[in-house]
C-alpha cells in the first residue's frame, strides 16, 4: 500500500512543488528533482519527495515507422550538415522540448556500417613492432575522405559559427555528440592544424607547447562561456581514435560511463604531457617505444591482423 501523500495519477502529480534539481545524468537521460507534495494529514503542510524523471528507451519495434508520414517523429530542425555527416534534433510531438538527436551518415560505406555495428571487444597489446608492421600502414592508408569533414572545419568551409576558439595551431568547437544545451553532458573537441600528427603515437616532446595550449584554452573557454571552473572538465586523447587526425576530447568531468572513457582507450591529456616532459632529448620518443594496451572491436579494420599477430 502506497503512502497517502504519494501521487498515483497525473492530477495528484500536478501538485508537486518543485524545489531544486539534485542530480542530472546525461547517460541515463534523467533528472532527479527535490520537492514536496501536499500532506494528507494536519500534522504537516507538505511532504518532502524525490522525483526522478527518465526518458524511456526507444522501442526497436517502432523503427520502421519513425520517419513515416504517420510516424513518431513529428518535427525536425537541422543543426549542421557537413560532408557526409548531418545532425538534426527531433520532436515526438508539438509544444515540447526536443526529444531526440538524429545523427546521419550519408552516404555510408561498409567501414561506417562496421563502425556503428555493435562489437565484441577484445584487449590487444600493441608493441612498437606491431605498430610499425600493422597499425602504422593501416593509418597511412586511411582514406582522406574519412576526415574531409575535419578539413572543412579547419579550412573555414563549415561549422564556423560554432568555433569557440581558433588559432594557427588548433580550433575548439562542440563535438557532434553534444546536444549544445545540457551542460552536464558538455562535450567539446580540439582539432589541431598539424596534419602530421595522426595519433598518440606521433606525439613528441616538441608538441608539449601545443598540448598545454589546448589545455589552457579549453579551461578558459568552459569557464568564460559556461562558468565551469578549473578541474570541471576531463581532457583526453583516444587510442585507437575513430579518425586519424589528432584531436583532444574535452568533456564535463561529471560525465561517467561513456564508452569513450574506457580504460585503455582514453589517455588523460595531463598524463600525456607529463610523459612527454620526462622524455629524453636524444633517445627514442616515449610513445614510439611503449606498449599500448587497448580494447579493439571485432568490426575494426585492425582486428583480424592484430588477432592473427597475437595468436
Amino acid at each position: 500500500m502506497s503512502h497517502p501523500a504519494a501521487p498515483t495519477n497525473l492530477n495528484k502529480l500536478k501538485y508537486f512543488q518543485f524545489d531544486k534539481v539534485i542530480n542530472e545524468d546525461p547517460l541515463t537521460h534523467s533528472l532527479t528533482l527535490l520537492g514536496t507534495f501536499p500532506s494528507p494529514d494536519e500534522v504537516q503542510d507538505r511532504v518532502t519527495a524525490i522525483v526522478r524523471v527518465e526518458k524511456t528507451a526507444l522501442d526497436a519495434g517502432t523503427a520502421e515507422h519513425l520517419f513515416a508520414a504517420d510516424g513518431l517523429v513529428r518535427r525536425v530542425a537541422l543543426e549542421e550538415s557537413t560532408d557526409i555527416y548531418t545532425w538534426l534534433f527531433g520532436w515526438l510531438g508539438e509544444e515540447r522540448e526536443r526529444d531526440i538527436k538524429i545523427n546521419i551518415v550519408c552516404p555510408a560505406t561498409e567501414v561506417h556500417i562496421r563502425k556503428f555495428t555493435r562489437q565484441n571487444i577484445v584487449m590487444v597489446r600493441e608493441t612498437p613492432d606491431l605498430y610499425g608492421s600493422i597499425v602504422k600502414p593501416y593509418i597511412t592508408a586511411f582514406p582522406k575522405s574519412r576526415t574531409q569533414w575535419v578539413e572543412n572545419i579547419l579550412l573555414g568551409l563549415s561549422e564556423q559559427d560554432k568555433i569557440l576558439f581558433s588559432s594557427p595551431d588548433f580550433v575548439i568547437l562542440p563535438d557532434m555528440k553534444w546536444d549544445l544545451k545540457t551542460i552536464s553532458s558538455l562535450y567539446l573537441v580540439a582539432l589541431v592544424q598539424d596534419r602530421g600528427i595522426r595519433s598518440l603515437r606521433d606525439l613528441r616532446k616538441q608538441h608539449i607547447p601545443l598540448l598545454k595550449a589546448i589545455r589552457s584554452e579549453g579551461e578558459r573557454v568552459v569557464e568564460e562561456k559556461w562558468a565551469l571552473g578549473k578541474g570541471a572538465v576531463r581532457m583526453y586523447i583516444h587510442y585507437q581514435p575513430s579518425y586519424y587526425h589528432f584531436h583532444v576530447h574535452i568533456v564535463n568531468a561529471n560525465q561517467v560511463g561513456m564508452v569513450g572513457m574506457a580504460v585503455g582507450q582514453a589517455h588523460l591529456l595531463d598524463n600525456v604531457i607529463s610523459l612527454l616532459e620526462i622524455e629524453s632529448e636524444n633517445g627514442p620518443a616515449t610513445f614510439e617505444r611503449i606498449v599500448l594496451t587497448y580494447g579493439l572491436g571485432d568490426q575494426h579494420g585492425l582486428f583480424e591482423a592484430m588477432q592473427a599477430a597475437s595468436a
Side-chain angles (χ1 to χ4, degrees):
M1 182 176 176
S2 62
H3 188 280
T8 54
N9 55 55
L10 181 58
N11 285 334
K12 291 182 179 180
L13 192 58
K14 288 180 179 179
Y15 285 103
F16 177 70
Q17 188 173 85
F18 171 80
D19 180 17
K20 61 182 178 180
V21 174
I22 58 174
N23 195 13
E24 56 178 321
D25 188 346
L27 192 65
T28 60
H29 306 288
S30 65
L31 285 176
T32 304
L33 316 177
L34 180 66
T36 61
F37 283 107
S39 173
D41 55 51
E42 298 179 357
V43 178
Q44 58 187 129
D45 292 333
R46 310 285 301 182
V47 178
T48 301
I50 295 172
V51 177
R52 185 172 183 272
V53 183
E54 180 179 347
K55 283 191 175 181
T56 56
L58 293 172
D59 181 4
T62 66
E64 63 180 303
H65 304 296
L66 280 173
F67 308 117
D70 58 346
L72 295 176
V73 178
R74 300 298 185 182
R75 179 166 65 94
V76 297
L78 178 66
E79 178 59 30
E80 188 66 53
S81 186
T82 174
D83 192 41
I84 63 173
Y85 299 100
T86 299
W87 307 277
L88 308 101
F89 288 107
W91 286 258
L92 304 184
E94 298 297 333
E95 303 300 327
R96 55 191 286 162
E97 280 290 326
R98 54 197 185 190
D99 296 284
I100 55 176
K101 187 167 186 278
I102 306 167
N103 300 332
I104 300 169
V105 181
C106 183
T109 65
E110 181 61 30
V111 174
H112 292 113
I113 295 171
R114 289 169 61 124
K115 175 185 173 182
F116 285 95
T117 300
R118 185 172 181 174
Q119 304 185 45
N120 181 49
I121 303 297
V122 174
M123 299 303 292
V124 299
R125 294 179 180 86
E126 182 188 294
T127 64
D129 286 342
L130 285 178
Y131 172 73
S133 62
I134 296 175
V135 180
K136 189 173 182 179
Y138 173 81
I139 295 174
T140 301
F142 202 74
K144 289 186 177 180
S145 59
R146 291 285 304 280
T147 53
Q148 186 58 51
W149 66 275
V150 177
E151 288 295 325
N152 290 346
I153 293 172
L154 295 177
L155 295 174
L157 302 176
S158 67
E159 300 192 54
Q160 297 307 289
D161 58 324
K162 291 189 175 68
I163 299 293
L164 300 168
F165 173 81
S166 179
S167 77
D169 298 318
F170 63 94
V171 300
I172 297 176
L173 73 163
D175 189 275
M176 65 180 75
K177 291 182 283 294
W178 188 36
D179 65 5
L180 306 177
K181 179 181 178 182
T182 311
I183 305 304
S184 62
S185 62
L186 180 138
Y187 200 144
L188 312 179
V189 64
L191 302 171
V192 304
Q193 290 283 359
D194 188 347
R195 276 70 167 175
I197 312 174
R198 305 294 295 274
S199 76
L200 188 70
R201 286 282 193 188
D202 294 318
L203 290 176
R204 301 292 183 265
K205 200 177 187 72
Q206 70 197 56
H207 297 125
I208 292 175
L210 169 65
L211 299 177
K212 286 186 173 180
I214 290 174
R215 180 174 65 186
S216 175
E217 291 302 330
E219 291 175 341
R220 182 190 62 79
V221 165
V222 299
E223 182 172 13
E224 291 183 1
K225 192 166 182 64
W226 294 286
L228 295 175
K230 201 172 185 66
V233 292
R234 191 191 317 257
M235 302 189 198
Y236 55 86
I237 300 157
H238 279 158
Y239 193 83
Q240 295 288 331
S242 57
Y243 54 96
Y244 293 99
H245 182 110
F246 186 72
H247 55 285
V248 177
H249 301 263
I250 305 170
V251 306
N252 192 308
N254 288 292
Q255 283 209 62
V256 293
M258 289 178 60
V259 175
M261 291 181 184
V263 173
Q265 182 184 19
H267 298 259
L268 289 172
L269 179 60
D270 281 342
N271 293 348
V272 170
I273 292 173
S274 293
L275 286 170
L276 292 174
E277 286 178 330
I278 62 174
E279 187 173 281
S280 170
E281 293 287 350
N282 302 315
T286 300
F287 291 104
E288 190 177 29
R289 58 192 172 95
I290 65 173
V291 174
L292 290 171
T293 300
Y294 51 86
L296 197 62
D298 60 6
Q299 296 295 315
H300 196 284
L302 285 168
F303 183 80
E304 292 184 4
M306 291 296 283
Q307 278 288 88
S310 302

